[in-house]
Amino acid sequence: MTAPDYRARMIPVRGGELAVGSWGPEEGPTILAVHGVTASHMTWPYLSEALPGVRIIAPDLRGRGRSNRLPGPYGMPSHADDLAAVLDAFGVERPVVVGHSMGGFASVVFAHRHPERVAELVLVDGGLPLTVPEGMSDADFTRAVLGPAQERLSMTFPTRAAYVEFWKEHPAFADDLNDVVLDYIDYDLDGSEPELRPSTSYQAVAEDSAELSGSDSVMSALTGMTHDATFLRAPRGLMNAAPLYTSEQVAGWAERFPRISTLEVDDVNHYTIVLGGRGARVVAAVVQDALARAEKKAGV
């Protein structure tokens, strides 16, 4: 279901080349879209469909997708600097930045390290520190939250069809294994039959996940935030059950960081908030508002 205006290119970054996809017109309103911890730029076709006339620039983050051969160190500062290189390559100065899941953390740190390159932030069920239950170590908490996704990275599959069958059993997509998700799944595979494996580097996930409960770079970025941000919460999590963030946790962070406003997206999970048409349309409406504010501030 890749749109006819989809384009792919490689851009130079530290240690090699970063894969980037884009949708929409070559010029005009632009957003930079940043995917989650084991995802890729193929997260964003629904958002593109919901934003006609808007250019979406979306990289495969270091260690993921077709950027999976890039070396570490990983972590939010490395991703932030890669994002700056992406904007340089496209000649884009100051887009609205949309980050899903771990991409929200990378986006927050990007705005802190490169404040002149960001107009506004849209944080989609990510970017605020995850609350570690009392008595649980950070490492155990990361395994509890991301365990199924991390386990998948150590698996191999004999055929592409077998990988689709694996995803058919995933609770997040039990009722919504649509064409966009199927393209997302197909793009995720690396290698050749009968030794296909998910493309994301386990080391990248391990290093990046360590920051999700609030690393120095993330907390410094949130404390020193100089951009307006909207946080969209999914009421169900990665396994279509308990949310990644409770509404109380989000309200607490928003009170602490007053530049963040919040919005609940009804009846979506952590994946379908972007990989489902209805969720993506809600995200798109927030993005449109952010783009309008950015244009007004720029005097366009």
Side-chain angles (χ1 to χ4, degrees):
M1 190 180 161
T2 301
D5 60 358
Y6 169 81
R7 301 169 296 278
R9 62 183 287 191
M10 306 296 290
I11 67 158
V13 293
R14 172 179 58 84
E17 291 186 312
L18 196 78
V20 184
S22 64
W23 293 263
E26 296 282 0
E27 298 180 354
T30 298
I31 66 172
L32 177 65
V34 191
H35 66 73
V37 68
T38 65
S40 72
H41 78 273
M42 294 302 288
T43 296
W44 304 109
Y46 268 130
L47 187 61
S48 173
E49 182 181 281
L51 289 170
V54 174
R55 176 170 56 169
I56 296 180
I57 297 171
D60 286 346
L61 293 177
R62 181 176 295 265
R64 283 84 175 173
R66 304 301 176 263
S67 305
N68 65 349
R69 302 294 190 269
L70 285 171
Y74 304 99
M76 301 310 122
S78 287
H79 295 312
D81 293 346
D82 287 342
L83 294 176
V86 170
L87 295 186
D88 289 342
F90 278 82
V92 174
E93 290 297 323
R94 198 177 174 89
V96 169
V97 179
V98 182
H100 173 240
S101 192
M102 189 208 77
F105 292 82
S107 298
V108 166
V109 174
F110 174 54
H112 186 61
R113 289 173 71 87
H114 303 276
E116 74 286 354
R117 307 306 300 272
V118 176
E120 195 165 314
L121 294 167
V122 178
L123 306 175
V124 185
D125 216 35
L128 298 176
L130 302 177
T131 301
V132 180
E134 187 174 351
M136 181 178 284
S137 70
D138 287 347
D140 286 343
F141 177 66
T142 298
R143 280 192 290 271
V145 172
L146 298 176
Q150 288 182 311
E151 289 171 10
R152 172 170 51 87
L153 303 184
S154 64
M155 300 173 68
T156 58
F157 299 86
T159 64
R160 292 181 177 274
Y163 197 44
V164 171
E165 290 301 314
F166 170 85
W167 278 96
K168 283 181 178 178
E169 302 300 319
H170 197 294
F173 299 111
D175 300 319
D176 197 15
L177 199 67
N178 54 62
D179 287 344
V180 168
V181 175
L182 290 172
D183 285 348
Y184 171 93
I185 291 169
D186 185 68
Y187 182 82
D188 185 48
L189 284 172
D190 199 7
S192 57
E193 297 181 359
E195 292 289 331
L196 295 165
R197 58 185 56 82
S199 60
T200 296
S201 157
Y202 187 91
Q203 184 59 35
V205 171
E207 290 187 31
D208 291 340
S209 297
E211 300 201 42
L212 302 187
S213 56
S215 63
D216 288 345
S217 65
V218 170
M219 294 308 298
S220 294
L222 288 167
T223 302
M225 182 176 282
T226 58
H227 300 81
D228 291 331
T230 304
F231 181 93
L232 292 85
R233 188 184 87 92
R236 302 192 302 275
L238 284 80
M239 302 302 287
N240 206 34
L244 204 58
Y245 299 91
T246 67
S247 56
E248 294 78 14
Q249 288 166 349
V250 171
W253 287 120
E255 183 176 356
R256 182 172 174 182
F257 306 121
R259 298 208 69 153
I260 299 175
S261 60
T262 65
L263 177 68
E264 183 99 358
V265 183
D266 294 334
D267 197 25
V268 295
N269 61 49
H270 184 71
Y271 286 102
T272 59
I273 195 171
V274 288
L275 281 166
R278 193 165 47 79
R281 286 190 291 272
V282 177
V283 176
V286 174
V287 169
Q288 287 281 26
D289 288 344
L291 286 169
R293 287 189 293 270
E295 288 179 2
K296 185 176 180 179
K297 289 177 183 176
V300 176

